[in-house]
Amino acid sequence: MSKIAIIGGTGLTKLTNLTITGREVHVCKYGEPSAPLTRGLLAGKEVIFLPRHGAGHTIPPHKVNYRANITVLKNVGVEQVIAINAVGGISTAMSAQRIVIPDQIIDYTWSRAHTFFEEGLNEVVHIDFTSPYCEELRQSLIKAAAQAKIQIEPKATYGATQGPRLESAAEIDRFERDGCHIVGMTGMPEAALAREKQLCYASIAVVVNKAAGRGEGEEITMQEIEHNLVAGVDQVKRILEAVIPTL
Ligand code: HPA
C-alpha cells in the first residue's frame, strides 16, 4: 500500500513519469475529492496522484474540496503528501521558473471549509501550526533537488490568497510587508487540514510569474504563466524522481 501521495497543481493534472497501475473512485463524508485517485509507480515506488484542480483542470482554487482530498488520502493509508503549487514571485530571488520549498505560510483566504474540528466534538481542538510544513519531508525535497542538480530556494513564506483573480499591486506590497516571498491560491487550507489529519505535508512551489507590480510588463499574462509552468513542471518531475526512492 502506498504511503506517499502527490497533489498536482496547475500544469500538473497528469504525471507523465508515473506508470499507472490503477484508478480508484472514493467518496467520503465531505463529498468527492477533485478526481479519482491514480495509483502508479514513480522511480519504482508506489505513489498515489491526485490532481487538485480535477482531471480536466476545471476546479478553481476556491472551489477545491480540500477536506475531501485530504480525507480520502488519509483513508487509503497515505502518510506523506507532496503538494505541487504554482505561485507568483514577490521577492527578487523568486524569479520565474524558480523552484521553492516554502517553510512558512500566511493565510489570507476566506470562507473556505478550513477545518475538520467543527462538529460533533467532545472538546475544542487547536492543532499546533508553528511550522506548517513537515520539516523532515522538506529536508528530503531539498536534498533531492541538490541530487537532481536543480537550484531551489530552500525557505520562503507562502501567502495564500483567495483567488481566482490575481492580486492588485498594493495587495502584493502589503504581502511583502507582511513577510511573504511567494503568493498562491491553493496552499491553504490544504496544509492545515493535512496537519489536522497528522499527515506529513510539504510543498514544491513553482514560480510561474512575477507577482502583480513586480514584473517588467504592466499585466500578468496567461502566456507568461503557461510558458514558465512547462519549464517549472519539468524540474518538479525531476525532483520527484529523486525524492520518491528516499522516502
Ligand atoms: N498570485 C496568486 N496565485 C498565483 C500567482 C499569483 O501571482 N501565480 C500563480 N498562482
Side-chain angles (χ1 to χ4, degrees), residues 211-245:
R214 296 291 185 278
E216 308 282 296
E218 282 287 295
E219 290 181 9
I220 298 166
T221 64
M222 284 314 290
Q223 287 100 302
E224 169 190 1
I225 291 183
E226 275 155 25
H227 167 79
N228 291 323
L229 251 182
V230 174
V233 164
D234 184 62
Q235 298 184 82
V236 170
K237 287 180 185 162
R238 284 165 51 209
I239 295 175
L240 289 174
E241 276 169 18
V243 80
I244 297 294

Side-chain angles (χ1 to χ4, degrees), residues 86-88 161 166-167 183-185 208-212 220 225:
V87 295
T161 55
L166 294 163
E167 298 70 39
V183 57
M185 300 175 193
V208 295
N209 58 280
K210 278 287 194 187
I220 298 166
I225 291 183

